[in-house]
Amino acid sequence: MEQEIGSSTQGLNNMELEEIANKITDLDKWRDIFSSRGFELTDINNQKHQESRKGDEDSEEGVGGPQPSVNKSRGQASFYNVPYAIPKYLVAPSNLGGVPITMGMAVELRNILFGSTFHIFNFEWKKSHFKFREPYSELSYALETERGGSRAIQMVVQANIIKYLLFTRNNVMENTNLQRLCEISQKDQEKSLASALTDILWAAGECQQAIICLVTNDSYFSPNKDYKTDNFTERIQLFTFQDKEDTWKFIYGNIQCFKDEGSHGVILFLYSLIFSRTIDRLKEDLDFTTPHLLTLSLGNFVCRQALLNLMMTGKASPNVFNGNLLYDDQGNQLPHPLHGVLTRCDVGYLHWNRDQLEQDRLPRVGSMLKTPKLPIWLCNINGTYSVLFSSNRSLLSDWKMEHLFELYFYNGQPSQKKTVVLTIDTHSHHWEEGHHEGEGDIEKRFPSVEMTIRTKWEGAAIDWNGTVPFF
């Protein structure tokens, strides 16, 4: 492959290569640029094309094997890295004052994420960033997500953005309404994203410190036969803060590194989260059921519950029940405790999955997650993540508010053009009145969104207010 690269780049000088690197946003544009110059992009970084195309065909054993060490000329090395190049304005100066990542840190990072140093993030993860909808629109508060394992992370951040806009910004204490979320400028979007990331990282650092990862031009360690390079992790610097306000200022000052296309923004945040929590604390958080934070599903790495709990609670508890479990269902002592959620947090969690229900494996979410401090929930609905929320701060603190109230629903998908408004009635009649058991599958009669809500408000009747029910 190196010979093909060398022959196809003989007519290009370094300035031309750099110009191309700055214009790259995806593989199709890359191919167009080279086609216009008479070159054919065949095997260069074939992994990137294969990962975006193979999807479900990959097996865990086949993802990211060891790479052979290859001697490259200077020109070949520069060209070889172009498809993963990050635009210059998203790269932090190497003299900004951070601590360069070491091989040992990178190895620990890979192991806690994947359980192996030879797994790397695929193209879907690398292109993921925190992208807002249009300012001053019906969804100006909302992040637009894509399919893939990074979506869960984006939706937890979305929940914290909503928290900031409804309940934190300008010390807002009284009830607001949905219109408040439609009056968001680009500057407001950036501030809310910085606040959401700061809150999550600060909680992970036990309110004592946060560590921010940014990518630089320099690579800080050489390739190793026991570690697969990705031309990204090796260029990380870590910035440590002992003050939450300083953390926010630094993230806001570098917000483009998380929100702009080509930034690898979701991965940068994930790295920051892990280093803020520290590897040692993460190992204490996890139990024998969960050795690392990501797992392979249908050819893509997805978030385990421990990672979701880390973002919501500040601790990577692998389970959703309250407290730690010492005994099994038969009363026998477990060989090792199972770690659950110990405290209430600002953002809650609801879970519904029709397949798990049929197999009697639906997890029982405890009250710590079902009843958060604020009326905002990350929802795992049939393996897809969404956000459910209310603008009424008193919803969970005054039982009278829970008789008849509104919830807003957003699923992050580009196809959703406005926030869905649901009216929840827990008082007047039961949701199954007028239906009989013989009328078919419950899942066909009631959408999964409704079933998810009923894991919190059992028996509630739900009005979609003119929206055609989905999910």
Side-chain angles (χ1 to χ4, degrees):
M1 184 172 76
E2 280 70 25
Q3 287 79 5
E4 293 177 11
I5 295 171
S7 63
S8 62
T9 59
Q10 289 177 357
L12 300 177
N13 58 38
N14 289 339
M15 291 184 63
E16 288 174 315
L17 290 172
E18 183 174 330
E19 178 183 359
I20 292 171
N22 290 335
K23 291 180 179 178
I24 295 304
T25 56
D26 56 40
L27 189 59
D28 291 332
K29 290 184 180 180
W30 171 253
R31 291 180 181 279
D32 291 341
I33 290 171
F34 272 76
S35 295
S36 68
R37 294 197 175 207
F39 302 129
E40 181 181 0
L41 184 62
T42 55
D43 195 31
I44 181 170
N45 258 327
N46 190 48
Q47 177 201 13
K48 176 177 178 180
H49 177 61
Q50 288 181 345
E51 286 176 335
S52 64
R53 167 170 68 84
K54 283 171 64 179
D56 298 352
E57 297 175 1
D58 284 336
S59 65
E60 185 163 4
E61 291 76 11
V63 177
Q67 282 186 329
S69 177
V70 179
N71 293 322
K72 308 181 201 56
S73 70
R74 181 177 179 181
Q76 289 171 339
S78 174
F79 184 84
Y80 188 83
N81 290 336
V82 165
Y84 288 144
I86 298 174
K88 270 190 170 182
Y89 76 99
L90 298 179
V91 177
S94 298
N95 61 355
L96 193 59
V99 176
I101 193 170
T102 65
M103 171 65 83
M105 295 164 69
V107 166
E108 285 192 320
L109 186 64
R110 286 275 178 83
N111 282 327
I112 201 69
L113 280 171
F114 305 107
S116 167
T117 59
F118 296 123
H119 293 321
I120 62 173
F121 286 109
N122 64 11
F123 181 52
E124 282 188 344
W125 273 90
K126 289 182 177 181
K127 72 177 182 178
S128 296
H129 56 287
F130 298 104
K131 176 186 177 182
F132 277 95
R133 298 294 188 99
E134 285 296 318
Y136 298 111
S137 70
E138 287 196 59
L139 291 173
S140 59
Y141 70 92
L143 297 174
E144 182 177 311
T145 66
E146 300 180 16
R147 293 181 179 179
S150 64
R151 183 176 180 181
I153 295 175
Q154 291 169 308
M155 293 311 291
V156 179
V157 172
Q158 176 68 81
N160 280 271
I161 288 171
I162 293 169
K163 179 187 80 170
Y164 169 78
L165 292 173
L166 286 181
F167 305 117
T168 306
R169 181 173 53 161
N170 300 326
N171 295 317
V172 175
M173 296 299 293
E174 297 181 2
N175 294 341
T176 56
N177 53 47
L178 189 60
Q179 184 60 32
R180 181 178 179 83
L181 298 182
C182 303
E183 300 168 349
I184 307 300
S185 66
Q186 180 177 332
K187 187 175 182 180
D188 292 330
Q189 290 176 338
E190 293 174 350
K191 286 184 176 180
S192 66
L193 177 58
S195 295
L197 300 183
T198 298
D199 283 353
I200 296 171
L201 296 180
W202 193 249
E206 298 192 340
C207 300
Q208 296 178 349
Q209 74 167 20
I211 294 178
I212 313 300
C213 294
L214 296 182
V215 65
T216 68
N217 280 316
D218 297 334
S219 183
Y220 298 110
F221 56 87
S222 302
N224 184 297
K225 64 182 179 63
D226 296 323
Y227 174 90
K228 183 175 181 179
T229 59
D230 59 13
N231 191 35
F232 173 72
T233 306
E234 303 83 32
R235 298 161 56 193
I236 293 294
Q237 280 194 10
L238 289 74
F239 300 83
T240 302
F241 299 91
Q242 272 82 38
D243 181 81
K244 187 176 182 181
E245 182 65 21
D246 290 341
T247 305
W248 183 90
K249 289 178 180 178
F250 186 81
I251 293 177
Y252 183 61
N254 295 279
I255 198 65
Q256 72 279 359
C257 296
F258 299 95
K259 67 179 282 287
D260 284 10
E261 187 175 2
S263 64
H264 294 41
V266 172
I267 301 178
L268 270 180
F269 168 66
L270 180 55
Y271 284 2
S272 303
L273 181 69
I274 290 172
F275 285 121
S276 294
R277 184 61 186 161
T278 76
I279 301 296
D280 289 340
R281 284 190 190 134
L282 284 171
K283 290 178 179 177
E284 293 176 0
D285 293 344
L286 301 174
D287 58 33
F288 73 95
T289 65
T290 306
H292 43 86
L293 298 175
L294 300 175
T295 186
L296 197 68
S297 175
L298 300 177
N300 196 4
F301 283 104
V302 297
C303 300
R304 292 179 183 265
Q305 188 65 46
L307 180 51
L308 300 181
N309 286 351
L310 174 59
M311 290 185 284
M312 292 185 291
T313 71
K315 187 173 182 178
S317 308
N319 301 287
V320 294
F321 49 71
N322 291 352
N324 295 328
L325 193 62
L326 303 178
Y327 301 91
D328 61 21
D329 294 338
Q330 286 73 43
N332 300 316
Q333 186 170 358
L334 297 169
H336 302 283
L338 297 177
H339 298 165
V341 178
L342 301 178
T343 58
R344 292 176 68 203
C345 49
D346 290 338
V347 173
Y349 178 76
L350 300 176
H351 186 112
W352 173 266
N353 188 294
R354 62 174 72 109
D355 294 332
Q356 291 177 331
L357 180 70
E358 292 172 356
Q359 301 170 25
D360 197 27
R361 294 190 300 109
L362 193 66
R364 297 179 180 178
V365 180
S367 59
M368 295 295 184
L369 289 176
K370 276 189 180 180
T371 309
K373 295 178 182 178
L374 296 172
I376 307 170
W377 294 266
L378 174 72
C379 298
N380 181 346
I381 306 175
N382 298 324
T384 301
Y385 293 91
S386 308
V387 176
L388 195 69
F389 62 100
S390 169
S391 60
N392 182 356
R393 191 186 190 103
S394 302
L395 178 62
L396 299 178
S397 58
D398 185 350
W399 63 271
K400 295 187 295 296
M401 297 288 182
E402 296 186 78
H403 287 169
L404 185 66
F405 56 96
E406 287 185 343
L407 290 178
Y408 306 122
F409 181 75
Y410 177 66
N411 66 10
Q413 298 182 23
S415 59
Q416 184 171 348
K417 303 304 181 184
K418 63 179 182 179
T419 306
V420 175
V421 181
L422 303 170
T423 300
I424 316 301
D425 186 346
T426 65
H427 195 61
S428 60
H429 58 278
H430 194 276
W431 62 287
E432 286 189 299
E433 286 183 7
H435 296 273
H436 303 284
E437 292 185 4
E439 291 185 1
D441 184 2
I442 190 175
E443 192 57 40
K444 295 179 180 178
R445 292 185 283 127
F446 298 99
S448 293
V449 171
E450 296 187 16
M451 302 306 296
T452 305
I453 293 172
R454 292 183 186 111
T455 64
K456 167 64 179 172
W457 291 280
E458 185 177 359
I462 299 168
D463 185 353
W464 287 71
N465 295 306
T467 300
V468 177
F470 57 95
F471 248 119

